[in-house]
Amino acid sequence: MKRPTRGLTSLAAACTSLLVLAGCSSSTTAGSPSEGASSAPSTDASAAAASGPDSTEPVKLTVWGWLADFDKQAAMYMKLHPNVQIEVVNAGVGGPSYEKFRNASKAGTGVPDLIMMAGATLPSFVASDDLVDLDQFGGKEFLANQNDFAAERSRVNGKMYGYSMGWGPLMYFYNKALFDKYGIEVPKTWDEFRAASEKLHQVDPNVYLSNFPSLNTAYGGVLWQAGQKPFETDGTTVAINWDSPEAQKVSEYWQGMLDDGLTATVPDFTADWNQAIASGKFASFIGGAWYPGVIAASAPDQAGDWRVAQLPQWTAGDTAGADAGFAVMAIPQLSTNQAAAADFAKWVTGTDEGVQSLHDIQVLFPTYKPLLDSPKLADEENAFFGNQQINKEFIAAGEGIDYTYDYGPFWDYATGLQDQAVGQAMQGEVKLPEAMT
């Protein structure tokens, strides 16, 4: 039997220092740290200004990302800056995209001018010297308009490396129509969550209260909420602990749900997952603040049935939360149009027009304070969620997030191993408490 836990512990043994990160294995594992670092000289703001968006010289930018319809933001910007041409490339999401970027950086060719990435991966790419320090392009001024979470998570070693596109406070989404049908109360604690799972599944064995939170942001989120901090960075030394009491508590809880058949085990974002939502196979699940559009697309005929609530808590009355979707735009060291790339990124993520478009078109939840703190956002009603003012729930959840959480310098690799462990636990090949040791 393949033991993913050995991968977790060997990671701690092999990469205990930021200084050796660039020398970690460059195996074909998606998201694993690559060897070496880009060697191109950094282009400072003054040197790059000649090719910036306000010059008359033509500028072509290539953006790698996963957001649907992001070409609409590109078109809006190009209308303001006719000399700029922007090509948006869907380079995939997560591990495959990061591996492609690492390979291009190592080869010294084919690197985009901007790349979208999970904020958690910034330390990894900074350690391998693949990203530009954005302070030279007014990073400090940009962060003044971001909430505390984004201001903290966009920086590595005190320097800014990512323009925040939005975040995803971890939420509890539930089908109110099914809850009403089966007489289920919205659980406020994890004990109540299990009791509701037992009640619902006993009444109708074909329906589950929830789906197992297998997505790395979801399972990582419940670990985060419980207080698990797998990485501790002190200078160039990184300590890793996947076997804390908090991690074991969460793992034992969800292993119990699996053992007793109280949770569905449908892989997220598959055709089966979409069908399970549409058919009412599970009445609720855990996900980031970016889930509303996903649910609506999967079950359009359930408009008005769904609601949003706060995460169940380990202790009644607590408000502990987690993030499950902080995303940024970063500029690679090898970009030859860094100033123009910075201007476009700042327009998308740091202006009223740009951020509102991300909220309206891609349904992202902003960290940009002029919108985040506005009554307009808080009072917005969502028809799919029965005209609930769901942003108020997201805002409240965000206040409970410990934003000092340390992502560590090889988060994408570590979460890849976490995905492996969780996936094998879902298949019954290994027990979660064992997998997290």
Side-chain angles (χ1 to χ4, degrees):
M1 177 187 299
K2 186 175 181 181
R3 287 290 307 281
T5 57
R6 291 176 182 166
L8 290 171
T9 53
S10 66
L11 176 63
C15 301
T16 58
S17 170
L18 284 171
L19 295 178
V20 301
L21 177 64
C24 282
S25 171
S26 60
S27 69
T28 57
T29 302
S32 61
S34 60
E35 292 184 37
S38 57
S39 58
S42 175
T43 304
D44 64 26
S46 59
S51 61
D54 293 324
S55 73
T56 57
E57 294 296 319
V59 176
K60 182 176 180 180
L61 298 176
T62 301
V63 181
W64 284 8
W66 62 80
L67 287 181
D69 296 323
F70 192 69
D71 57 324
K72 293 182 179 179
Q73 277 87 4
M76 293 167 67
Y77 182 84
M78 288 188 289
K79 187 175 181 179
L80 298 172
H81 303 279
N83 68 306
V84 179
Q85 294 295 312
I86 302 173
E87 179 186 13
V88 179
V89 177
N90 187 340
V93 180
S97 172
Y98 304 147
E99 184 176 29
K100 182 177 180 181
F101 176 52
R102 284 194 171 95
N103 290 339
S105 295
K106 182 179 178 181
T109 184
V111 173
D113 297 294
L114 278 167
I115 180 171
M116 298 178 190
M117 60 177 59
T121 64
L122 283 176
S124 172
F125 288 107
V126 170
S128 54
D129 197 29
D130 288 324
L131 300 180
V132 169
D133 170 8
L134 301 176
D135 284 342
Q136 64 185 302
F137 299 115
K140 292 180 180 178
E141 293 79 6
F142 175 86
L143 291 180
N145 275 327
Q146 299 293 314
N147 70 350
D148 290 344
F149 179 90
E152 178 69 24
R153 306 323 305 168
S154 299
R155 292 182 290 196
V156 179
N157 300 326
K159 298 178 181 179
M160 176 182 162
Y161 287 92
Y163 295 106
S164 170
M165 298 190 297
W167 60 333
L170 196 61
M171 308 302 302
Y172 183 56
F173 296 92
Y174 67 99
N175 187 321
K176 184 177 183 298
L178 289 179
F179 272 44
D180 290 346
K181 177 180 177 181
Y182 294 108
I184 302 297
E185 297 290 332
V186 178
K188 299 291 187 7
T189 67
W190 289 112
D191 286 342
E192 292 178 1
F193 183 91
R194 181 182 169 94
S197 298
E198 293 172 344
K199 176 181 178 180
L200 176 57
H201 200 52
Q202 184 175 20
V203 173
D204 189 341
N206 295 316
V207 180
Y208 297 86
L209 182 72
S210 70
N211 191 44
F212 184 86
S214 61
L215 194 67
N216 55 32
T217 55
Y219 195 74
V222 294
L223 288 171
W224 184 341
Q225 185 212 22
Q228 159 72 348
K229 293 185 177 181
F231 298 106
E232 291 184 8
T233 304
D234 182 12
T236 59
T237 301
V238 180
I240 305 174
N241 178 18
W242 288 93
D243 190 25
S244 69
E246 295 86 358
Q248 286 299 297
K249 175 175 69 176
V250 172
S251 298
E252 288 169 2
Y253 178 90
W254 283 102
Q255 186 62 54
M257 295 284 287
L258 288 169
D259 289 344
D260 295 339
L262 296 177
T263 181
T265 54
V266 183
D268 291 295
F269 304 130
T270 60
D272 289 342
W273 187 83
N274 292 332
Q275 178 58 32
I277 295 176
S279 65
K281 181 172 182 176
F282 37 83
S284 68
F285 50 81
I286 300 159
W290 46 274
Y291 265 60
V294 177
I295 302 171
S298 299
D301 60 339
Q302 294 175 11
D305 292 347
W306 284 81
R307 299 291 187 275
V308 183
Q310 300 299 304
L311 280 180
Q313 298 291 318
W314 290 104
T315 301
D318 281 358
T319 58
D323 175 70
F326 178 53
V328 300
M329 299 179 74
I331 300 177
Q333 285 279 12
L334 295 181
S335 166
T336 57
N337 294 300
Q338 293 179 8
D343 194 81
F344 173 53
K346 287 191 290 185
W347 177 84
V348 173
T349 63
T351 68
D352 293 354
E353 184 181 16
V355 177
Q356 187 68 55
S357 75
L358 289 174
H359 179 65
D360 292 342
I361 299 172
Q362 285 87 12
V363 201
L364 300 190
F365 189 58
T367 59
Y368 176 69
K369 288 191 294 188
L371 180 57
L372 178 63
D373 296 340
S374 69
K376 176 184 176 182
L377 183 75
D379 296 340
E380 186 177 273
E381 296 182 349
N382 189 301
F384 187 85
F385 286 81
N387 291 326
Q388 181 185 10
Q389 294 174 329
I390 63 176
N391 294 329
K392 288 184 177 178
E393 296 290 338
F394 299 158
I395 292 168
E399 293 173 352
I401 299 175
D402 175 8
Y403 60 82
T404 64
Y405 185 90
D406 188 350
Y407 290 135
F410 26 78
W411 179 257
D412 53 323
Y413 181 50
T415 53
L417 295 175
Q418 174 191 291
D419 288 346
Q420 206 176 58
V422 169
Q424 291 183 340
M426 288 176 65
Q427 298 300 319
E429 298 174 7
V430 66
K431 299 292 186 181
L432 273 172
E434 178 186 5
M436 298 303 290
T437 58

